[in-house]
């Protein structure tokens, strides 16, 4: 059978990795797919650079539409990124009857409903394994491997840049700004790292996992997103003393009244495997009723690790493209008629436990006042630690850090109680609150 023809839009970091992996492993890939898979056309703004990567045997153009208009192309890979031209091109490729493979989590998290609807109407596939946790086949695991299960929750370290920053802050006791510069120097962080450090990239990814895990529509606008920019190394040290590590987690959970969908820094017991995922690595834990807990670990970014997922999608599409569309794996795991209308819960309704740090006057009765207000709200305390912080010295020696770990409580309750505690004259600085997940 003649090879399936693929057009590649954007041959940057992931695009070049995809071309190289596909070329290097072509015989094995052909054996698995049942026919050859060939990138025969590439579009990139920088034609010269593209040509230097693919050589003379591949047609290189600067206009992506020429790829989409080529009737010989069956699959279009979108590796441009963003929601601008990438969205237009993906929609045009679908309209032209091409299958689409993309690593673009931002595009799918924000415009997924429109894109999947258009693809279903046209009977084409949109495959996006590389969009979540790079090389880790977590989409396949959630959508197919765990298909027997009722999934209870998914929690993941799905942004390598922020995990690298947190690891360095803990290992070397460095402050956020210093490590961010190092991450940029090493090429982990984007030139504009806002999406990484503000948790937006992780929220894109957990939004996609949530839809697949629970059969709900992709709804990024409902995700709660908090990054790591306000984290201080003093909290990382206190967490350590209490037996926890701080990680930026993307969490989606089945709760009594709906689905939780959130990204924020989180204390995780140091003994959990996921707490020991260091540097730019990614990991996702899935809790499901039949299999129990499973953990997926690997490189969440980089040229060939991400290409590994892109090429896996190419093989899937090649195997299934002649199948009746109704016999293919649904984009979001559930058949369109079986999707759930379960609501994504507002953050006030989320139930979790907390780490609280209060800079207080070192006076008799302060602890009683603070714990009294927590008790009044029915918030149960798990542990209390009082520490003379390294940062408190000299004339501030009559201050102390009061650290409280709570049991589970509703976020709305915690917000209201923290407002009251903050007004106590003996509380001398804004209270630091970090959520805590036992993940057991
Ligand atoms: P790059 O910036 O390295 O590559 C994008 C390429 O697209 C560049 O070569 C760019 O050219 C080209 N391009 C831009 N506009 C157009 C256009 N209109 N037509 C054709 N080509 C165009 O990005 P990455 O490879 O890093 O990322 C690609 C996608 O993969 C993104 O969605 C990203 O989020 C996702 N992803 C990336 C990972 C990674 O490790 N890098 C990991 C997981 C997902 P020029 O440089 O000249 O502008
Ligand atoms: N900026 C992302 C990260 C790239 O740091 O994980 C992979 O999506």
């Amino acid at each position: 059978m003649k090879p399936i023809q693929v057009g590649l839009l954007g041959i940057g970091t992931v695009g070049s990795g995809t071309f190289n992996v596909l070329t290097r492993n072509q015989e094995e890939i052909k054996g698995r797919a049942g026919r050859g898979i060939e990138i025969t056309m590439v579009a990139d703004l920088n034609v010269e650079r593209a040509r230097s990567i693919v050589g003379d045997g591949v047609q290189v153009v600067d206009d992506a539409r020429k790829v989409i208009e080529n009737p010989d192309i069956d699959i279009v890979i979108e590796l441009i990124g963003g929601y601008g031209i990438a969205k237009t091109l993906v929609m045009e490729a679908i309209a032209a009857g091409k299958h689409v493979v993309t690593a673009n989590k931002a595009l799918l998290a924000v415009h997924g409903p429109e894109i999947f609807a258009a693809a279903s109407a046209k009977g084409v596939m949109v495959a996006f394994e590389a969009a979540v946790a790079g090389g880790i086949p977590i989409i396949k695991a959630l959508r197919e491997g765990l298909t027997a299960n009722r999934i209870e929750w998914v929690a993941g370290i799905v942004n390598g840049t922020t995990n690298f920053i947190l690891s360095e802050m803990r290992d070397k006791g460095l402050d956020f700004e210093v490590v961010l510069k190092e991450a940029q120097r090493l090429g982990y962080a984007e030139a504009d790292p806002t999406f990484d450090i503000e948790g937006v990239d992780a929220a894109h990814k957990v939004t996609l996992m949530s839809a697949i895990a629970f059969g709900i529509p992709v709804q990024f606008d409902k995700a709660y997103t908090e990054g790591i920019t306000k984290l201080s190394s003093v909290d990382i040290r206190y967490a350590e003393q209490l037996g926890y590590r701080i990680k930026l987690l993307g969490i989606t959970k089945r709760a009594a009244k709906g689905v939780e969908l959130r990204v924020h820094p989180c204390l995780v017991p140091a003994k959990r495997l996921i707490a020991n995922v260091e540097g730019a690595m990614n990991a996702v834990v899935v809790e499901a009723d039949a299999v129990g807990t499973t953990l997926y670990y690997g490189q969440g970014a980089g040229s060939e690790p991400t290409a590994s997922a892109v090429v896996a999608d190419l093989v899937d599409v090649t195997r299934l493209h002649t199948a009746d569309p109704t016999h293919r794996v649904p984009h979001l795991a559930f058949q369109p008629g079986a999707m759930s209308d379960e609501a994504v819960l507002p953050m006030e309704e989320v139930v979790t436990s907390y780490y609280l740090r209060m800079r207080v006057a070192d006076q008799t009765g302060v602890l009683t006042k603070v714990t009294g207000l927590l008790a009044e709200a029915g918030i149960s305390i798990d542990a209390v630690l009082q520490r003379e912080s390294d940062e408190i010295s000299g004339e501030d020696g009559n201050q102390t850090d009061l650290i409280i770990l709570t049991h589970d409580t509703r976020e709305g309750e915690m917000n209201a109680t923290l407002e009251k505690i903050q007004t106590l004259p003996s509380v001398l600085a804004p209270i630091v609150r970090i959520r805590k997940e036992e993940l057991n």
Side-chain angles (χ1 to χ4, degrees):
M1 198 187 294
K2 87 177 186 20
I4 196 159
Q5 296 199 24
V6 179
L8 172 58
L9 313 184
I11 186 156
T13 305
V14 183
S16 56
T18 300
F19 185 82
N20 292 337
V21 171
L22 203 50
T23 307
R24 188 173 71 235
N25 298 338
Q26 59 180 302
E27 276 314 306
E28 286 203 18
I29 290 165
K30 182 179 174 184
R32 292 180 177 133
R35 64 192 283 198
I37 301 174
E38 278 180 10
I39 293 178
T40 53
M41 201 171 177
V42 170
D44 197 281
L45 298 182
N46 190 334
V47 172
E48 257 175 52
R49 195 192 52 210
R51 164 78 51 223
S52 74
I53 297 166
V54 301
D56 292 331
V58 175
Q59 191 184 351
V60 179
V61 293
D62 62 1
D63 179 359
R65 288 204 169 84
K66 292 203 175 117
V67 176
I68 293 168
E69 285 161 7
N70 182 342
D72 295 330
I73 298 286
D74 297 302
I75 307 172
V76 168
I77 312 177
E78 182 278 307
L79 293 174
I80 293 172
Y83 354 75
I85 185 69
K87 183 189 173 204
T88 309
L89 294 171
V90 163
M91 293 302 282
E92 286 180 9
I94 291 168
K98 317 284 187 198
H99 303 289
V100 172
V101 173
T102 181
N104 194 337
K105 58 265 174 172
L107 174 66
L108 292 181
V110 175
H111 298 291
E114 184 185 347
I115 290 170
F116 294 129
S120 298
K122 199 74 191 173
V124 296
M125 290 172 269
V126 174
F128 55 96
E129 183 62 70
V132 181
I136 305 174
I138 187 63
I139 298 297
K140 189 97 172 165
L142 285 171
R143 192 168 53 191
E144 295 164 55
L146 299 176
T147 201
N149 291 261
R150 180 179 161 87
I151 294 174
E152 297 301 336
W153 53 260
V154 179
I157 295 169
V158 286
N159 182 270
T161 303
T162 44
N163 202 51
F164 171 77
I165 292 173
L166 293 176
S167 300
E168 290 288 287
M169 284 174 77
R170 187 180 71 83
D171 277 357
K172 301 184 179 156
L174 296 170
D175 278 328
F176 172 79
E177 297 296 341
V178 177
V179 192
L180 173 59
K181 286 206 178 74
E182 177 68 355
Q184 284 173 307
R185 193 183 67 77
L186 290 169
Y188 296 137
E190 316 282 327
D192 173 6
T194 317
F195 270 22
D196 294 314
I197 61 180
E198 296 296 355
V200 177
D201 177 71
H204 288 148
K205 294 164 179 169
V206 74
T207 296
L208 293 171
M209 292 196 287
S210 182
I212 293 172
F214 303 122
I216 59 173
V218 173
Q219 24 197 339
F220 172 68
D221 55 333
K222 305 265 174 57
Y224 173 82
T225 305
E226 184 183 313
I228 62 167
T229 49
K230 295 192 182 74
L231 264 188
S232 128
S233 47
V234 75
D235 294 307
I236 294 176
R237 283 203 299 280
Y238 285 146
E240 189 96 31
Q241 289 169 24
L242 289 158
Y244 291 86
R245 302 252 167 102
I246 300 182
K247 295 290 182 189
L248 182 74
L249 288 190
I251 299 170
T252 185
K253 202 181 268 191
R254 193 190 289 281
K257 294 183 189 160
V259 172
E260 296 181 6
L261 178 54
R262 50 192 168 106
V263 171
H264 50 72
C266 203
L267 270 75
V268 181
K271 62 187 174 198
R272 299 272 177 268
L273 286 171
I274 196 168
N276 295 281
V277 171
E278 299 290 8
M281 300 303 279
N282 282 198
V284 181
V285 183
V286 183
E287 180 71 20
D289 70 340
V291 71
T293 310
T294 51
L295 170 72
Y296 308 83
Y297 169 85
Q299 297 196 53
S303 182
E304 291 210 356
T306 311
S308 164
V310 172
V311 174
D313 276 346
L314 287 177
V315 171
D316 267 358
V317 172
T318 302
R319 284 174 177 150
L320 288 172
H321 93 121
T322 51
D324 178 334
T326 58
H327 294 158
R328 294 180 189 145
V329 181
H331 293 120
L332 297 176
F334 289 75
Q335 300 294 342
M339 296 288 284
S340 161
D341 57 3
E342 192 101 47
V344 173
L345 292 172
M347 200 54 197
E348 290 70 31
E349 293 302 324
V350 163
V351 173
T352 185
S353 55
Y354 295 85
Y355 159 101
L356 307 173
R357 174 169 61 87
M358 301 168 198
R359 175 68 54 87
V360 295
D362 197 0
Q363 292 164 351
T364 321
V366 173
L367 181 60
T368 314
K369 281 186 193 141
V370 170
T371 54
L373 284 171
L374 289 168
E376 228 173 69
I379 299 171
S380 162
I381 293 172
D382 182 26
V384 177
L385 180 73
Q386 187 174 320
R387 275 284 192 279
E388 179 109 345
S389 154
D390 302 347
E391 291 170 7
I392 306 171
S393 59
E395 62 194 44
D396 291 336
N398 56 352
Q399 301 179 6
T400 189
D401 273 345
L402 182 60
I403 296 110
I404 297 177
L405 299 185
T406 75
H407 288 296
D408 276 356
T409 190
R410 205 176 57 83
E411 174 112 352
E413 209 66 67
M414 181 53 83
N415 290 343
T417 309
L418 288 183
E419 264 182 44
K420 286 186 194 160
I421 297 175
Q422 191 68 73
T423 61
L424 292 174
S426 43
V427 175
L428 306 173
I431 299 168
V432 173
R433 170 263 301 274
I434 306 174
R435 298 170 190 88
K436 178 166 82 65
E437 291 286 336
E438 293 298 324
L439 300 182
N440 53 10

